[in-house]
Amino acid sequence: MSKLVAHHKLKPCMAALAVLGGLSLFCGMPALGQTDAAKASNDTTANAITEPEATDKDVPVVVIQTQRSRSSLSLPGTTLQSLLPGMNPLKGLQQLAGVTFQSADPWGNNEQNFSLFIHGFSAQQLGYTLDGVPLGDQQYGNYNGLSPQRAISSENLRSVMLNSGAGDLATASTSNLGGTIESFSSDPHSTQRWTLTQSLGSYHASRSYLRFDSGEVASSTPQSFYISALRQRARAWDFEGIQGGEQLNAKWVKHFNHSKLIAYYNFSDKTEPNEDSIVRNAREEFAPYTRPTTYPDFAFAKDYLSPKGEPPRRDGPNYRNYFGVAQRRDHLAYLKLESDIDASTSWNNQVYWHQHDGLGAVAGPIEVAGLPALFKVYFPSQDLKQTFGGSGYAVRTTEYTINRGGLISNWQARYGAHQWQAGIWIEQNRSDAYRRWYGLDQQRPLSPYQRPRDPLITQYGSEIDNRVVQLHWQDAWKIQPTLTLQAGFKSSLQFAQGYFPVQPKLGAINGGSSALPEGSITTKAWFLPQLGAIWRLPNQDQVYVNLQKNLRQFITYGAVGASPWSLNSQSAFDLFKRTAEPETAISFETGIRTRRQFDESNQQSGKQGFGLTGIENQVTLYYVNFRDRLLQISPTPVISSIVNGNPILANVGDVKTYGIDIATTLQFGTQVSLFNALSYNQSSYQDDYLSGSNRIATKGKQVPASPSWLNKSMLKLKWNAFEWQLLADYVGKRYATYTNDLSVPAHFLMHFGLQYPLPWTSPHGQGQLSFHVHNLANRRGTSTLVVGAADSTYNTFPIAPRQVFVSLSFTLK
């Protein structure tokens, strides 16, 4: 049977599973369900912003947030570590309904080649926080934040919460059109302990994690802290590059009579050599599965080029660079005071600071399309090969910094049947980005682990000062014991000013522009409303409904990305400023949550064998009207090109999205649980757009890179001391261009895990051995899609091959 036929046969099978009750991603030992804290929250406001308590034992794999009027799921940190110790929390969310996370490494840590879609919204259209601190919009080469795995070691996560339809009004984000992902750090343990985890695996992977908890120091104002250190190294599976870094986390908590003071600090230093994406087009006869760089074989790299510095023509746009790398260094800190004013009123205040220094570099041939013309602008009469060091290669960098700080203040009070909440978020962010070119000396070639010095060209340099103010107010009104009504709104204000201290020379910008744009853009959205309700039925069932309007502020990035300051002229910027509107989305969401425990005879049979003892479901229906959608279109035929000119921004009008998520857990006694999460999403453009005088037929086309069908399954089995798990992940066909003329086929991956508590556990320590196999069947295919053209071309990253990991974790008290 062909793979294509097999994929078509999977869809009716998945539908049948859904009709039978699915098999949800909430499986666990015990079944999904609510923790005691989550059950108790049935009598609290649906907009409470704290996550449920989690204990080390018997934590559900996924916790349904029953106090919210929208689909909200919490993934405990223990679940992340059971999937693969050290896993990026965003990749862990791949197990949830409606989520598509793709990456070319098993941990999901490499930021260059990951993609995330939730209900048709991309990673840059979602909101992200850690303990309330905004993490930005997750652009590669970010300008306003950092990735979750750089903000905290995943071993220190308490939980990750996904709001898949719309985020809470209090979420500190300017990009949360399609929902939010909130991460929460664990608190220090109440008893002193050391924790060590060592993971080893394929391609010389090594991850070492060490944490010390002080335990609670008894006094009139008890306090505790922890400090952890992390080191990770792994060779890239398709080229000779060592990816990894070091990370330090520290958290301190001090309790007073009516308040709690929390301090947190994170340092992260990562260096990740990157592979290049594969260029695909409609007329291709052959495209490689991988596109590895040639580092560290410098002799081969020089022989690979012609005497002038040209790569072989047979390789076309898939020529090989010498190296590519992302170097990232971050400091993140916050201080938070949680105060109880009285029995019914609280006031929380938090200040934070983030400093980032980053560099992205590519060492590539000097004679690829577009580069000779660019270099001749700066060196009109020189021999280019000799100018750039005689190797035939030049090193292009984007060097950027972020300096931001902010204040978050939230007030909550309960009066009678009402629970009020109001708050403010203020942030000032000064960021810059400089594009520079360096030579690659054939006598002393640069490595990806070094930072280049003394540039030959500073092509441009941008500096942007951005201030954000966000206000919110909301009320949860318990009209009767079974019905809670929620209403509120937020205001989002952005004041951005951009400059270019270094302008390109005439001829160095596509289209002949003489200068990149400067100026200010102020955006004020005073009323973004939310209305929701929770109706509690008998037997712990709930019906929920939510209607909400969200806005994504303009990106404040200079010369890179879908930003007004990346347009190629001042006139284009001025026109955009006069006519463009920020992207907005009106989201409607409704669903039902149910839980059933079966009668005593089934319970008894479950204890003895595999009788069905419980079933839990969540069904969510949603509809989104997405307005003023901006497309970022590559100005060059090759989307990911070393000569990537200024992007073209096109407003394609509305995008309509509707879909359904069905997630169910079947629990068979205490030994077996089975889940399935089935999702269908239809996101389509409602208008064509103009490219110059040409009309591009996007009306009715599916949003590319986001699949319509998803299905996730997990089987967990406990046998004696062993816990086995088998995960299956189906991703449907994805379109690869805006006009849907090209696509990539569906794929189906399986992953295996085994956990075993060590038999020499003592009262003063305990250990656990785990074994994981990523891509069990060693499937090939496309993981991440890079979309940037109306038709005929796209870029891809491959699915990583089978990889095996063994981890030993030990806690000494």
Side-chain angles (χ1 to χ4, degrees), residues 561-606:
S563 163
W565 289 271
S566 297
L567 297 170
N568 69 351
S569 69
Q570 189 66 44
S571 59
F573 175 88
D574 294 339
L575 177 63
F576 184 94
K577 180 177 178 178
R578 290 195 307 269
T579 60
E581 296 290 338
E583 296 176 326
T584 59
I586 298 176
S587 304
F588 173 79
E589 187 178 9
T590 186
I592 186 169
R593 309 173 179 118
T594 67
R595 184 184 188 193
R596 293 291 182 274
Q597 296 294 327
F598 295 105
D599 60 33
E600 185 67 21
S601 60
N602 277 349
Q603 294 282 356
Q604 291 299 323
S605 64

Side-chain angles (χ1 to χ4, degrees), residues 276-288:
D276 291 309
S277 60
I278 299 97
V279 181
R280 315 298 294 266
N281 61 67
R283 299 178 301 277
E284 69 184 20
E285 295 182 0
F286 169 77

Side-chain angles (χ1 to χ4, degrees), residues 47 87 150 160 252 344 390 403 466 473 479 533 586 590 662 775:
N47 284 328
M87 176 178 284
R150 278 194 279 131
V160 182
W252 172 74
S344 61
N403 285 281
N466 186 35
W473 171 90
I479 300 175
I586 298 176
T590 186
I662 304 173
N775 191 2

Side-chain angles (χ1 to χ4, degrees), residues 13 22 120 125 156 176 197 280 287 301 357 379 454 514 526 561 684 744:
C13 291
Q125 294 160 340
N156 293 332
N176 57 328
T197 302
R280 315 298 294 266
D357 183 18
F379 306 107
D454 303 321
S514 59
W526 288 102
S684 55
V744 297

